[in-house]
Amino acid sequence: MKTRRRGKQLLVLRLVMATGGFVCQEAFCQEGAGASSTPKAQQVPLSQSAGSVDAQQSTAGSAGSTSSVNTLNSTIQVSGGFVGSIPDPKAPQGSLTLTISDAIHRGLQFNLGGVIANVSVRQARAQRLAALSQMLPNIYGTLTETSAKVDLQTLGLSASAFGGGLAVPTTLGPFHYYTALGNVSEDLSLTALHNIRQSEASLQAARMSTANVRELIVLAVGGTYLRVIANKANVVSQEAQVKQAEASYKLAADQYQAGTKTIIDSNKSLVELRTEQQRLSALRGDLLKETMQLARLIGLPAGQQLSLSEDLPVEVPDAISLEEGIKTALDERPDLKAARLQLKAADEARRASKAEYLPSLSINGDFGLEGINPNKGVSAYQVSAGLNIHIFDSGRVRADVDQADAVFSQLQAQYDDLKGAVDLDVRQAYVDLQVAAEQMKVAQANRQLAAETLGQSVDRFASGVTNSVEVVQSQETVAAAEQDYISTLFSLNLSRISLAKATGQAEQFIPNMLKGH
């Protein structure tokens, strides 16, 4: 009888010890593995512009010189991050000769707008990896040493629980054991799958946005390069005007000394000479500042001495037809491609949000050794699988769906608007090119007529037929005609690069547009 009672006591004691060990082990496993969570829908961030580049052509006002026939006012406007650059650590010392292709290559490498765009691609790539990690298993190892003492009464184990016939201890322990386990956990859901697709589309959109940034950098550097060589042409032209004014003043001074002309003619010629010299000084200052801005765009020090080796071409090849240009723009413009991919990403984000209503599967397991010391371990494993079913979440999923729908609607409207903007860009670029080409014909004819008129005025003055007033007026007309010609030449070439940007071909066209000039 005593033997049977003692056997029951041992059986209860073993049960208590096993229960205590199981409770401790389960507490450890929950703490080590962590509770699984349902993947949340990733939202598409709204795009933010780091700056802009715009080539504009407008009708010039009537406030300029009355002898000017130029009706165009063309500018290249650069703002935001595109204005700056990171310094080239290997910038050459002394004077540097650049072609437009060289300048663009440096701009694509060092312009701040491109650097920011590349960082955005890296960020999108990291977000894609984060989304992919939701579908891949999480594998890790744990090594623990446990020392515990358990109060059995808190677990509901006491003598009364077994009818009062057994002597059950109030505490268990202290006892020690170790575990060395390899753990794996996996969560599977349609939300995670749509998150991967959304992040992939966002990454492709970021790459297309970077391609569009490259187009803007090419436009900014190319337009600034054209403006610098136009200013250089203005300086060369003004230097010729100064030499002409010097010759006229010398002629008037010689005739005054000879007594054939009055002091008034000599003084008027001198005033005209000083005026032309003042204009030359101002134009040289403008050229220096424009050259500094170009250096700033392409990662060179502002004080770098730059020499541009090309000139503005007069002859312009015929452009493609308007219909072909619009079709090319709708197919090739990287900003339009980026908008399409952003819309696709928003659609996947919306699907991911709706998939949060669906069940998800979680799998957890571990395998390894357990025992009272490393020399006496036994193999142990545990595997569990669970199906998480959506019941009630206080409107959290509905909020995710509404937010994703709002972003999708916004991007859809922006994409539809962008298609219209692309069409308008191409049409306006064609108008600017046509107007500049027609203006070029007028500027060339007026330039020739002004030069002929000045020659006749100088001859008349030398012959004593007229006074210096006619010569000064003719010189002003020549100066205005030369300025009109160079300004129109700049407008014509700026229209060419503006059309290339409008059709998405800036990086292919602009670096080669000045070859042979």
Side-chain angles (χ1 to χ4, degrees), residues 56-219:
Q56 296 181 349
Q57 177 178 296
S58 59
T59 302
S62 58
S65 172
T66 56
S67 60
S68 174
V69 295
N70 183 32
T71 60
L72 298 181
N73 182 17
S74 298
T75 59
I76 178 74
Q77 296 181 344
V78 185
S79 64
F82 296 103
V83 177
S85 63
I86 60 174
D88 179 8
K90 299 180 180 179
Q93 302 295 325
S95 179
L96 176 64
T97 301
L98 287 178
T99 65
I100 190 172
S101 178
D102 297 333
I104 289 174
H105 176 74
R106 298 187 64 89
L108 292 174
Q109 187 175 3
F110 298 108
N111 189 268
L112 183 60
V115 174
I116 295 175
N118 290 331
V119 171
S120 299
V121 172
R122 291 174 57 189
Q123 182 182 27
R125 188 180 296 114
Q127 292 173 349
R128 177 183 175 275
L129 290 176
L132 184 61
S133 68
Q134 296 178 355
M135 293 289 289
L136 297 177
N138 184 20
I139 302 174
Y140 59 96
T142 57
L143 178 63
T144 62
E145 175 70 24
T146 303
S147 177
K149 184 176 182 179
V150 181
D151 184 0
L152 297 179
Q153 291 183 353
T154 62
L155 300 177
L157 299 176
S158 62
S160 60
F162 296 93
L166 296 176
V168 179
T170 59
T171 61
L172 181 65
F175 57 90
H176 305 271
Y177 67 93
Y178 84 96
T179 60
L181 301 174
N183 305 270
V184 60
S185 63
E186 175 70 81
D187 293 316
L188 300 174
S189 68
L190 287 178
T191 296
L193 178 61
H194 287 298
N195 283 344
I196 293 176
R197 294 175 178 176
Q198 178 265 317
S199 61
E200 180 65 33
S202 295
L203 176 58
Q204 294 177 5
R207 288 170 176 165
M208 282 295 102
S209 296
T210 301
N212 184 58
V213 167
R214 291 178 64 89
E215 291 277 294
L216 292 175
I217 292 174
V218 171
L219 178 62

Side-chain angles (χ1 to χ4, degrees), residues 110 273 408 439:
F110 298 108
L273 171 60
F408 180 83
Q439 182 76 30

Side-chain angles (χ1 to χ4, degrees), residues 43-67:
Q43 304 302 327
V44 178
L46 299 179
S47 60
Q48 297 179 354
S49 176
S52 63
V53 181
D54 189 20
Q56 296 181 349
Q57 177 178 296
S58 59
T59 302
S62 58
S65 172
T66 56
S67 60

Side-chain angles (χ1 to χ4, degrees), residues 293-424:
Q293 291 181 5
L294 177 62
R296 184 79 176 89
L297 290 177
I298 60 178
L300 294 174
Q304 178 80 48
Q305 296 181 0
L306 295 181
S307 176
L308 308 188
S309 62
E310 295 162 314
D311 296 321
L312 292 171
V314 179
E315 299 296 331
V316 176
D318 293 335
I320 59 177
S321 65
L322 176 61
E323 292 75 15
E324 186 178 354
I326 293 176
K327 182 180 182 303
T328 301
L330 293 176
D331 293 338
E332 301 297 333
R333 279 274 291 257
D335 53 344
L336 195 59
K337 291 181 179 180
R340 281 196 292 263
L341 289 168
Q342 288 172 353
L343 191 61
K344 179 181 178 181
D347 182 58
E348 290 295 340
R350 185 172 59 172
R351 293 172 183 265
S353 299
K354 293 179 179 179
E356 291 184 37
Y357 286 116
L358 302 177
S360 62
L361 178 65
S362 61
I363 302 174
N364 297 278
D366 59 62
F367 178 82
L369 297 177
E370 294 181 344
I372 59 175
N373 61 65
N375 295 326
K376 295 183 179 181
V378 296
S379 61
Y381 69 91
Q382 180 181 351
V383 179
S384 64
L387 185 65
N388 304 313
I389 301 175
H390 178 86
I391 297 178
F392 178 71
D393 58 6
S394 302
R396 179 189 61 81
V397 177
R398 180 61 185 175
D400 287 346
V401 173
D402 289 345
Q403 182 180 357
D405 283 339
V407 173
F408 180 83
S409 298
Q410 181 192 35
L411 293 179
Q412 178 69 64
Q414 291 176 346
Y415 174 69
D416 293 338
D417 174 72
L418 184 58
K419 288 194 294 184
V422 168
D423 181 89
L424 179 62

Side-chain angles (χ1 to χ4, degrees), residues 357-512:
Y357 286 116
L358 302 177
S360 62
L361 178 65
S362 61
I363 302 174
N364 297 278
D366 59 62
F367 178 82
L369 297 177
E370 294 181 344
I372 59 175
N373 61 65
N375 295 326
K376 295 183 179 181
V378 296
S379 61
Y381 69 91
Q382 180 181 351
V383 179
S384 64
L387 185 65
N388 304 313
I389 301 175
H390 178 86
I391 297 178
F392 178 71
D393 58 6
S394 302
R396 179 189 61 81
V397 177
R398 180 61 185 175
D400 287 346
V401 173
D402 289 345
Q403 182 180 357
D405 283 339
V407 173
F408 180 83
S409 298
Q410 181 192 35
L411 293 179
Q412 178 69 64
Q414 291 176 346
Y415 174 69
D416 293 338
D417 174 72
L418 184 58
K419 288 194 294 184
V422 168
D423 181 89
L424 179 62
D425 286 347
V426 177
R427 293 180 184 274
Q428 288 182 336
Y430 266 90
V431 172
D432 290 345
L433 183 60
Q434 292 174 354
V435 171
E438 294 173 0
Q439 182 76 30
M440 189 65 198
K441 298 177 182 178
V442 178
Q444 287 176 321
N446 287 345
R447 181 191 186 208
Q448 182 177 358
L449 290 174
E452 293 175 356
T453 301
L454 176 60
Q456 293 174 0
S457 296
V458 172
D459 292 341
R460 285 163 55 84
F461 179 74
S463 302
V465 178
T466 186
N467 55 24
S468 62
V469 175
E470 180 180 324
V471 176
V472 170
Q473 290 177 343
S474 297
Q475 289 174 338
E476 291 289 341
T477 301
V478 169
E482 287 291 335
Q483 185 177 2
D484 290 343
Y485 173 76
I486 297 172
S487 177
T488 304
L489 195 57
F490 170 69
S491 297
L492 181 62
N493 285 277
L494 188 64
S495 299
R496 296 175 67 196
I497 68 174
S498 179
L499 178 59
K501 170 61 179 68
T503 56
Q505 305 296 312
E507 191 170 354
Q508 289 76 23
F509 170 75
I510 297 177
N512 302 314

